Amino acid sequence: MPLEQSLTVIIPALNAAAGLGAVLSACAGLPVVVVDGGSTDATAGVARAAGARVIAAPRGRGGQLAAGAVAATGEWLLFLHADTRPGPGWREAVGAAMRDPARAHYFRFALDDPSPEARRLERQVAWRCRVLALPYGDQGLLIHRMLYEQVGGFRSIPLMEDVDLVRRLGRRRLAPMAAEALTSAARWRREGWRRRSARNLLCLSLWFLGVPPGAIRRLYG
């Protein structure tokens, strides 16, 4: 079955007008649901101009992703962040992954930055996925609706919604795809490569220690 008949792309967004167009361009021709969490910029207009369906949901990525899944029409769901666009060959990779509905699938992490720091972070993420089976939301997530519902879907938590879901899936129900997802490195450049990476690691550690997501969110900023 063609992708446009079986797949819905779901993108949570909040004041994402600057980068959203590139993501939507990469998804041209496919059903896309943009879940707006109360943007005050042109996010909704950019999405509609690209042919995406726009729905509103309370701010919070977990709840926005869950709302997008409810609104989606495809039997396969592809969750993407608004600053992450799938790279060359991604449709073929998704098509191949869809032959395996018993597992959820994620892209290889890549950053739109030529620096050594970016390459170092990409290697660290590859290690985390290989050893710990912990892909993050900026790697996208392709999952069949039946599996998504079986594990309980995204929960309306203020942070760590991606880790929460992949931990419920478990290693045996996760698989990498043979394509990359290119994420904006603007946050790392703005906040500092080491500082942001250290903060992300701290948040993950606190989550595993059982600290409530709301408290972690306050630290994350």
Side-chain angles (χ1 to χ4, degrees), residues 118-136:
R119 303 293 82 76
R120 187 179 303 115
L121 181 56
E122 290 168 357
R123 290 192 295 270
Q124 291 170 355
V125 171
W127 178 90
R128 188 189 70 219
C129 293
R130 183 176 63 254
V131 177
L132 303 179
L134 277 179
Y136 284 0

Side-chain angles (χ1 to χ4, degrees), residues 2 15 26 32 40 42 59 69 76-77 92 95 114 129 144 198 206 211 215:
N15 294 329
V32 177
T40 56
R59 178 177 177 174
W76 280 90
L77 311 173
E92 292 79 8
C129 293
H144 194 280
L206 292 173
V211 176

Side-chain angles (χ1 to χ4, degrees), residues 59-178:
R59 178 177 177 174
R61 189 174 277 158
Q64 289 175 248
L65 289 164
V70 172
T73 57
E75 61 185 40
W76 280 90
L77 311 173
L78 176 59
F79 299 97
L80 289 175
H81 285 184
D83 62 350
T84 299
R85 67 181 188 274
W90 77 271
R91 296 182 191 230
E92 292 79 8
V94 164
M98 287 167 64
R99 294 196 288 268
D100 182 12
R103 294 193 290 179
H105 308 262
Y106 58 90
F107 293 112
R108 183 172 63 254
F109 177 76
L111 289 166
D112 63 350
D113 189 288
S115 69
E117 291 86 354
R119 303 293 82 76
R120 187 179 303 115
L121 181 56
E122 290 168 357
R123 290 192 295 270
Q124 291 170 355
V125 171
W127 178 90
R128 188 189 70 219
C129 293
R130 183 176 63 254
V131 177
L132 303 179
L134 277 179
Y136 284 0
D138 51 14
Q139 294 174 257
L141 189 72
L142 172 72
I143 185 169
H144 194 280
R145 184 182 293 276
M146 288 182 63
L147 178 57
Y148 175 82
E149 294 175 351
Q150 178 184 341
V151 299
F154 281 105
R155 293 173 176 163
S156 295
I157 56 179
L159 200 69
M160 311 302 290
E161 76 292 329
D162 46 2
V163 176
D164 176 63
L165 178 56
V166 300
R167 289 292 290 176
R168 280 181 278 129
L169 284 163
R171 179 184 296 274
R172 287 187 288 183
R173 291 189 292 193
L174 287 167
M177 289 187 282

